[in-house]
């Protein structure tokens, strides 16, 4: 990383190379039924607050044994806060 937070050309090229050589499947939560019956090594779930238990179970079941599930959370600072977080969007 160079000054001012900008990435160097080599890092940008490496990221582009990763994107072009990796088979990435993505979908919106409302379209998560599309992933049923597929198997993946890595799952990244973003916007944890919008997840429902059904969507979470549906998507996590697609990760093969020994795979990786990553939750990207913006606002969680402790495990206690994660435990107390409500997932049911209908109750909000």
């Amino acid at each position: 990383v160079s000054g001012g937070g900008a990435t160097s050309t080599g890092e940008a090229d490496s990221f582009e190379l990763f994107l072009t050589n990796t088979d990435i499947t993505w979908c919106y939560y409302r379209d998560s039924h599309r992933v049923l019956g597929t198997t993946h090594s890595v799952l990244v779930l973003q916007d944890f607050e919008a997840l429902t238990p059904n969507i979470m179970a549906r998507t996590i079941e697609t990760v093969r044994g020994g795979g990786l599930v990553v939750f990207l959370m913006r606002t969680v600072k402790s495990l206690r806060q994660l435990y107390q977080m409500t997932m049911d969007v209908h109750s909000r």
Side-chain angles (χ1 to χ4, degrees):
V1 177
S2 60
T7 59
S8 69
T9 305
E11 290 173 356
D13 291 342
S14 296
F15 183 68
E16 289 296 323
L17 185 63
F18 168 76
L19 289 178
T20 57
N21 291 321
T22 306
D23 183 25
I24 298 173
T25 303
W26 65 275
C27 69
Y28 293 107
Y29 287 150
R30 68 176 177 260
D31 300 326
S32 61
H33 61 278
R34 289 189 315 135
V35 299
L36 290 173
T38 62
T39 305
H40 304 279
S41 298
V42 178
L43 169 68
V44 178
L45 294 169
Q46 186 175 342
D47 192 17
F48 186 78
E49 290 83 5
L51 275 176
T52 63
N54 286 340
I55 291 172
M56 193 164 141
R58 182 184 301 160
T59 55
I60 289 176
E61 285 293 319
T62 66
V63 178
R64 70 175 39 100
L68 181 66
V69 177
V70 177
F71 293 98
L72 297 179
M73 295 179 262
R74 204 173 2 161
T75 58
V76 176
K77 296 186 185 340
S78 72
L79 288 177
R80 183 175 306 277
Q81 186 181 2
L82 176 63
Y83 175 75
Q84 294 170 345
M85 185 180 295
T86 190
M87 287 181 57
D88 189 1
V89 294
H90 302 294
S91 68
R92 293 185 211 152

